Amino acid sequence: MGKIGTIPMIEGLNQDLVKKAQKRLDNLTKPQGSLGRLEELASLIVGITKKENPSLQNKVIFTFAGDHGVTEEGVSAFPKEVTPQMVYNFLRGGAGINVLARYVGARVVVVDMGVASDLKPHSDLIVKKIGYGTKNIAKGPAMTKDEAARAIEAGMEVFDKEFERGIDICGTGDMGIGNTTPSSAIASVFTGRSVKELTGRGTGIDDKAFQNKVRVIEQAIEVNKPDPNNAIDVLSKVGGFEIGGLAGVILAAASKNVPIVIDGFISGAAALIAYHLEPKVKDCLIAAHSSVEIGHKAVLDHIGLSPLLDLNMRLGEGTGAALGMGLAEASIRIMTEMATFESAGVSERSD
Amino acid sequence: MGKIGTIPMIEGLNQDLVKKAQKRLDNLTKPQGSLGRLEELASLIVGITKKENPSLQNKVIFTFAGDHGVTEEGVSAFPKEVTPQMVYNFLRGGAGINVLARYVGARVVVVDMGVASDLKPHSDLIVKKIGYGTKNIAKGPAMTKDEAARAIEAGMEVFDKEFERGIDICGTGDMGIGNTTPSSAIASVFTGRSVKELTGRGTGIDDKAFQNKVRVIEQAIEVNKPDPNNAIDVLSKVGGFEIGGLAGVILAAASKNVPIVIDGFISGAAALIAYHLEPKVKDCLIAAHSSVEIGHKAVLDHIGLSPLLDLNMRLGEGTGAALGMGLAEASIRIMTEMATFESAGVSERSD
């Protein structure tokens, strides 16, 4: 119990292909390295996908929703009804992630991992409900170890099913009122840093609510004593259903050589779970942006990722991931569409 | 002589419309301000365009080319034949700017402002040649004051002509072997900072060539004594034809309430010229990115702009501007396509 049946096999990066891609980029009509991170991104995507001419036609954002019992401690500025209301908004195409996904040409896959109420059926809603919200982590574990394992497995299943329709690159996104609280707890357990250093204001709480939030997270860790050497233990004690599901998406995507663009703080917490289950996932991760949430940087540093964008964003849903995907596609077009010095008859450096 | 006939009237930002746009953004289904710089960008574009629902359908990158006599001092890693070769590459669609402009749906307007050789005629090439490259600024002025004024006017003409075809947002880009050298000189004159602080390695020179480049720029300033209170004087003494032309584009676009996404260091030098001719242009400028060129930050600070992206890029051509335009379009789509709390039936904050 509490063990995932199978952590899928992950190959990791093909370094030879990465080098080959950089060599190819060096022959394009520009000073070597002058497109900076776009060049790194293109080589990385070649190394992940093992395709010398990857197409990023099929782009998918996985937006997973779940509720959190800890909201009864007053850790969020929004009431928890907002979780299902936003799921309906996703399904109608009116949320931030819908707009940005449309802009970059990605489809949004919306999954109920554990919303606290029953959602009206919808042809585009995938229901993988592990429970009606987690339990209050300030008082005990969020979920059982078995539920934690099932959340991860559900995420893998969602990815695998969607993969049949075609996925060249994917992004992670979240919706769950209160979910920066478990994310801070997860970040603190794995990085060993203090809760205070890793806790932000989520959707926008005031000073007093912030002090309370820090105290609640500290208490959650004290009460549950999650074991940093056991990612399932951490997820079950201070995690969330959507966080577990996204960890599953990351594991499944990495095993299929699909690059994963991770969004902000909650996606970062999911990446921590996946990384501590199988460190090789790191090779397949692209950090889209640096969130306003103060703990996000520590999460990315811990895994060893450097964010592409810093636009002062803190919405979640996969909004940062969508913008990061746009850069990923731009990078591949640079590599595959630009002329070479030879084909364009342009002289190379004179030294 | 040496005076532009008319600096066009520039209204600047409509602050009421900026506030109105931010209020509208605050009613969309997301925590207030949670899309950070995308929200700022959308409000700014409303304030510049004076349109509550701006469309960014017509996007144009102005890529201006010119040669620089100072290349005879060995300031660049590439031979100057590369300037016309790259112009042909632009016209064939094989350069970095072509790829990124296609990706964001922008057209590229290529202008010969002063390439040192005659270019083969091409239906898409606009010829506004002020001279066959500038003179060597290490020995005397780059151009006459009259040529400086004509370069700016030519840029305004190019913008005005293209504006008839429709421009909702524009970006600046440059091509000119050696043009980081005059850009550093311009930056030093206007910001008052030392040449060494503002000089980088351009397309990639070694330590020895870098020391020489700094010395050449210092000498150019010493020999010419450009007057920081007279932008035409600065342009004529240590500038470039493409830099003057881009300053003209900026002035003309600002006068037509068209947002201008400025690219890297050379575009920054052009923005400095435009800004010192008419400080109100600042209101209409969007800084796309932070270039690897060390002087770029000082230029943006001087004008009071904060770059959107930092992707370690240093290619020029308008490549950063193209990516910035993509973010601009994303920001407008957020503002115009997202659901409101009311329309989506989502609860607002509980405090």
Side-chain angles (χ1 to χ4, degrees):
Chain A
M1 292 286 264
K3 282 229 164 185
I4 316 174
T6 44
I7 292 184
M9 226 274 287
I10 292 167
E11 274 179 70
L13 218 52
N14 182 320
Q15 290 290 359
D16 288 342
L17 284 175
V18 171
K19 278 178 204 141
K20 211 168 160 184
Q22 190 54 56
K23 219 165 173 178
R24 176 175 175 185
L25 286 156
D26 287 346
N27 278 318
L28 303 177
T29 47
K30 57 173 183 49
Q32 288 189 6
S34 61
L35 284 176
R37 298 209 59 193
L38 288 189
E39 298 191 32
E40 285 169 31
L41 200 47
S43 316
L44 178 65
I45 291 167
V46 168
I48 296 170
T49 59
K50 283 87 182 165
K51 290 178 186 167
E52 290 188 40
N53 290 295
S55 145
L56 300 184
Q57 182 67 22
N58 289 294
K59 295 182 274 293
V60 176
I61 302 274
F62 291 97
T63 303
F64 280 27
D67 271 312
H68 298 268
V70 73
T71 52
E72 70 191 28
E73 304 287 339
V75 291
S76 178
F78 282 82
K80 74 177 189 177
E81 306 92 81
V82 168
T83 306
Q85 290 166 347
M86 284 301 297
V87 170
Y88 295 129
N89 199 16
F90 297 149
L91 295 168
R92 275 190 304 259
I97 185 54
N98 302 103
V99 175
L100 295 181
R102 278 198 295 273
Y103 181 59
V104 300
R107 52 188 203 269
V108 182
V109 172
V110 183
V111 182
D112 173 5
M113 285 297 305
V115 179
S117 54
D118 283 311
L119 292 160
K120 283 172 277 183
H122 187 290
S123 57
D124 291 337
L125 175 65
I126 298 171
V127 181
K128 292 278 182 188
K129 209 187 266 293
I130 308 295
Y132 288 82
T134 55
K135 296 207 164 56
N136 182 351
I137 60 174
K139 298 186 175 164
M143 62 188 92
T144 66
K145 287 201 174 57
D146 185 55
E147 286 170 328
R150 278 166 47 215
I152 295 173
E153 285 171 339
M156 294 197 267
E157 281 165 25
V158 169
F159 179 89
D160 288 345
K161 187 105 192 273
E162 197 62 32
F163 186 68
E164 291 169 19
R165 294 178 59 196
I167 303 183
D168 299 316
I169 188 167
C170 71
T172 61
D174 70 287
M175 178 68 225
I177 295 301
N179 67 7
T180 56
T181 292
S183 299
S184 286
I186 291 168
S188 177
V189 170
F190 284 125
T191 67
R193 299 208 205 180
S194 74
V195 168
K196 201 160 181 185
E197 281 176 272
L198 301 171
T199 302
R201 283 159 194 264
T203 49
I205 49 175
D206 64 19
D207 285 352
K208 204 179 144 195
F210 174 72
Q211 298 303 335
N212 175 58
K213 181 176 175 183
V214 170
R215 192 192 52 74
V216 165
I217 299 166
E218 286 169 348
Q219 185 180 323
I221 295 172
E222 209 177 289
V223 165
N224 288 294
K225 296 186 178 43
D227 174 5
N229 297 309
N230 182 339
I232 298 288
D233 191 64
V234 176
L235 176 62
S236 68
K237 286 174 172 167
V238 295
F241 297 131
E242 79 280 42
I243 295 171
L246 291 173
V249 166
I250 291 168
L251 290 163
S255 79
K256 294 282 201 306
N257 300 323
V258 171
I260 305 126
V261 186
I262 61 169
D263 192 37
F265 191 45
I266 291 90
S267 288
L272 280 177
I273 300 285
Y275 175 70
H276 280 270
L277 284 168
E278 172 49 273
K280 280 189 191 160
V281 297
K282 188 229 156 180
D283 280 0
C284 302
L285 297 177
I286 295 164
H289 77 129
S290 179
S291 164
V292 173
E293 274 291 311
I294 194 175
H296 191 218
K297 198 190 168 309
V299 169
L300 297 181
D301 284 350
H302 181 80
I303 304 178
L305 299 171
S306 169
L308 290 167
L309 296 160
D310 187 358
L311 293 170
N312 219 16
M313 286 166 54
R314 54 181 170 85
L315 175 55
E317 301 179 3
T319 46
L323 295 177
M325 255 182 201
L327 291 179
E329 182 157 10
S331 80
I332 293 301
R333 294 203 185 192
I334 283 290
M335 187 180 68
T336 55
E337 295 180 16
M338 267 185 76
T340 61
F341 282 102
E342 202 183 331
S343 73
V346 173
S347 307
E348 300 205 42
R349 304 171 57 106
S350 43
D351 55 2
Chain B
M1 293 283 267
K3 282 228 162 184
I4 315 175
T6 43
I7 291 184
M9 228 272 287
I10 293 167
E11 276 179 70
L13 219 53
N14 183 319
Q15 290 290 359
D16 288 342
L17 285 175
V18 171
K19 278 178 205 141
K20 211 168 160 186
Q22 190 54 56
K23 219 164 173 178
R24 176 175 178 187
L25 287 156
D26 287 347
N27 278 319
L28 303 177
T29 47
K30 58 174 180 50
Q32 287 189 7
S34 61
L35 283 175
R37 299 210 57 194
L38 288 188
E39 298 191 31
E40 286 169 30
L41 199 47
S43 318
L44 178 65
I45 291 167
V46 168
I48 296 170
T49 58
K50 283 86 181 168
K51 291 178 185 168
E52 291 189 41
N53 291 296
S55 145
L56 299 185
Q57 181 69 22
N58 289 295
K59 295 183 274 293
V60 176
I61 303 274
F62 291 97
T63 303
F64 281 25
D67 270 311
H68 297 269
V70 72
T71 51
E72 69 190 27
E73 304 288 339
V75 291
S76 177
F78 281 83
K80 74 175 189 178
E81 306 92 79
V82 168
T83 306
Q85 289 166 349
M86 284 301 297
V87 171
Y88 295 129
N89 198 16
F90 297 150
L91 295 168
R92 273 190 306 260
I97 185 53
N98 302 103
V99 175
L100 295 181
R102 278 198 295 273
Y103 181 58
V104 299
R107 52 188 203 269
V108 181
V109 172
V110 183
V111 182
D112 174 3
M113 285 297 305
V115 178
S117 54
D118 284 311
L119 292 159
K120 283 172 276 183
H122 187 291
S123 57
D124 291 339
L125 175 65
I126 299 172
V127 180
K128 292 279 181 187
K129 205 187 270 292
I130 309 295
Y132 288 82
T134 55
K135 295 206 165 52
N136 183 350
I137 58 175
K139 298 186 175 164
M143 62 188 91
T144 66
K145 288 202 175 54
D146 185 55
E147 286 170 329
R150 278 165 47 213
I152 294 172
E153 284 171 340
M156 294 198 269
E157 281 164 26
V158 169
F159 180 88
D160 289 346
K161 186 103 193 275
E162 197 62 31
F163 186 70
E164 291 168 20
R165 294 178 61 195
I167 304 183
D168 299 315
I169 188 167
C170 70
T172 60
D174 69 286
M175 179 68 226
I177 294 303
N179 67 6
T180 57
T181 292
S183 299
S184 286
I186 291 168
S188 178
V189 170
F190 284 125
T191 66
R193 298 208 204 179
S194 74
V195 169
K196 202 162 180 183
E197 281 176 90
L198 301 171
T199 302
R201 282 156 195 266
T203 48
I205 50 176
D206 64 18
D207 286 351
K208 206 180 143 194
F210 173 72
Q211 299 302 336
N212 175 59
K213 181 176 174 182
V214 170
R215 192 191 53 73
V216 165
I217 298 166
E218 285 170 349
Q219 186 180 322
I221 294 173
E222 208 177 289
V223 165
N224 287 293
K225 298 188 177 39
D227 174 4
N229 297 311
N230 181 340
I232 298 287
D233 190 65
V234 176
L235 176 62
S236 69
K237 285 175 171 165
V238 296
F241 297 130
E242 79 281 40
I243 294 171
L246 291 172
V249 166
I250 291 168
L251 289 162
S255 78
K256 295 284 201 305
N257 300 323
V258 171
I260 305 126
V261 186
I262 60 168
D263 193 39
F265 191 43
I266 291 90
S267 287
L272 280 176
I273 300 284
Y275 174 70
H276 281 270
L277 284 168
E278 173 48 273
K280 280 188 192 160
V281 297
K282 189 229 155 176
D283 280 1
C284 302
L285 297 177
I286 294 163
H289 77 127
S290 179
S291 165
V292 173
E293 275 292 310
I294 193 174
H296 191 219
K297 197 190 170 308
V299 168
L300 297 180
D301 285 349
H302 181 80
I303 304 177
L305 299 170
S306 169
L308 290 167
L309 296 160
D310 187 358
L311 294 170
N312 218 19
M313 284 165 56
R314 55 180 169 85
L315 175 56
E317 301 179 3
T319 47
L323 295 177
M325 256 182 200
L327 291 179
E329 182 156 10
S331 80
I332 293 301
R333 294 201 184 194
I334 283 290
M335 187 180 67
T336 56
E337 296 180 17
M338 266 185 76
T340 61
F341 281 103
E342 202 182 333
S343 73
V346 173
S347 308
E348 300 205 39
R349 305 172 55 107
S350 43
D351 53 3

